[in-house]
Amino acid sequence: MPFHFFTSFARLPLVFRVLIISVSLIFAFGSIVHLLEPEQFTTVFEGVWWAVVTAATVGYGDFAPKTVLGRLSGIALIMVGAGFLASYFVTLATIAVTKQNDFLEGRI
Amino acid sequence: MPFHFFTSFARLPLVFRVLIISVSLIFAFGSIVHLLEPEQFTTVFEGVWWAVVTAATVGYGDFAPKTVLGRLSGIALIMVGAGFLASYFVTLATIAVTKQNDFLEGRI
Amino acid sequence: MPFHFFTSFARLPLVFRVLIISVSLIFAFGSIVHLLEPEQFTTVFEGVWWAVVTAATVGYGDFAPKTVLGRLSGIALIMVGAGFLASYFVTLATIAVTKQNDFLEGRI
Amino acid sequence: MPFHFFTSFARLPLVFRVLIISVSLIFAFGSIVHLLEPEQFTTVFEGVWWAVVTAATVGYGDFAPKTVLGRLSGIALIMVGAGFLASYFVTLATIAVTKQNDFLEGRI
Ligand SMILES: [K+]
Ligand SMILES: [K+]
């Protein structure tokens, strides 16, 4: 069953796989930081907002972890999540450009 | 008519297509955030400034949406706009380097 | 004379050309913002610090233009400078990796 | 002895080499900024947190050097570290995607 799940996952187009992994990381780290620093991240949505802003390397600074554990999970999110979001950005833009060219050359 | 418009658009050089899409997204999201949080984004220009700073992943934090709807549109801008701006950056730099090489090798 | 200057420039290795353009943009925009908002950017060095932090898309937010003209020059720096710095980052890392491989395979 | 060390290092997979260089830069600059501005960066961990946030171009702005020497080392970290972290992000994501494809095609 988990094997079938993974095989189905791996057969999805690249952009969906990268997006699913990115969204999962965002929700996981958004929940973790809400548990670790509940005074600052009062809701899971505030944690998710911080995780999106961090993994996309925007980093407004309206939310930033202040405890050692919170900062260690922030470092983990940066080291794992930023790569997936960067891949997602590049894949999405490549698809948009390729589809336009396919259309122009009569393939769609 | 829209069909001709799209065909003309798709025939433009890559850097212009990516730039046109980026600029459109910037103005669209700059206007949306001005409507959603008018107390913070008092003019459309402040919304546009926030959208450029966000989509380029600079993220000064001088402006950042505070409502759930504002943050959801911020997430949408990041997920769609950041990829286009990253593509624009890469395309622009590639052109600058290629033009110099073309000049050197006597092609322009 | 300017022609010879450009030819010499174009013959430099890619990483130096990208670095020279990036450094020139940083100093140009650092000076411009110092002239446009002298109350905030009290020295040219503060302008240069802001321009590096902006073009590298770090964006601490310790300095951010507040006038329309200052923000327009910020947008110009982002649209032109961020591409060059991104190219510089990629070129530098590629060289570091390639040199190590060259060394391993006995070429240096 | 240093020669053997370098040869062993250069034989490691690309992602480990880039990660080792990135982590070394993070600790080096985290310690430097702690020494240069001890009032703001009261512990080495705060320096390391700032260095990760800077080299990944997140830039929350909760920590930012305020002295000329501190800012010069910040510029050095950006010019050297951001390239390595960007390479690490790209390499990591490429590996994740390739491994999934290898698995699907029966190679692992
Ligand atoms: K940033
Ligand atoms: K930032």
Side-chain angles (χ1 to χ4, degrees), chain B residues 97, chain C residues 13-23 84 87-88 91:
Chain B
V97 167
Chain C
L14 180 57
V15 70
F16 286 112
R17 274 184 281 161
V18 174
L19 188 60
I20 290 171
I21 295 175
S22 302
V23 170
F84 277 102
S87 316
Y88 164 77
T91 317

Side-chain angles (χ1 to χ4, degrees), chain A residues 57-59, chain B residues 57-59, chain C residues 57-59, chain D residues 57-59:
Chain A
T57 75
V58 172
Chain B
T57 76
V58 172
Chain C
T57 75
V58 172
Chain D
T57 75
V58 172

Side-chain angles (χ1 to χ4, degrees), chain A residues 19 22-23 45-46 48-49 52-53 56-63 85 88-90 92-94 96-97 99-101 103-104, chain B residues 3 6-7 9-11 14 17 21 50 54 57-61 63-65 68 71-72 74-75 78-80 82-84 87:
Chain A
L19 187 61
S22 302
V23 170
F45 181 69
E46 289 188 341
V48 166
W49 167 246
V52 170
V53 165
T57 75
V58 172
Y60 289 124
D62 50 353
F63 292 93
L85 248 83
Y88 164 76
F89 291 158
V90 171
L92 185 76
T94 310
V97 167
K99 287 272 176 207
Q100 288 173 16
N101 287 340
F103 172 82
L104 248 197
Chain B
F3 180 82
F6 180 74
T7 311
F9 174 76
R11 275 190 191 129
L14 180 57
R17 275 184 281 163
I21 295 175
W50 165 78
T54 298
T57 76
V58 172
Y60 290 125
F63 292 93
V68 171
R71 282 177 184 164
L72 286 177
I75 291 173
I78 289 170
M79 296 310 275
V80 180
F84 277 103
S87 317

Side-chain angles (χ1 to χ4, degrees), chain A residues 32 50 58 75 88 91 104:
Chain A
I32 288 170
W50 164 78
V58 172
I75 291 173
Y88 164 76
T91 316
L104 248 197

Side-chain angles (χ1 to χ4, degrees), chain B residues 35-70:
Chain B
L35 294 173
L36 288 175
E37 304 195 6
E39 297 84 32
Q40 188 183 184
F41 302 90
T42 51
T43 61
V44 172
F45 181 69
E46 289 188 339
V48 166
W49 168 247
W50 165 78
V52 170
V53 165
T54 298
T57 76
V58 172
Y60 290 125
D62 51 352
F63 292 93
K66 292 189 178 84
T67 61
V68 171
L69 273 183

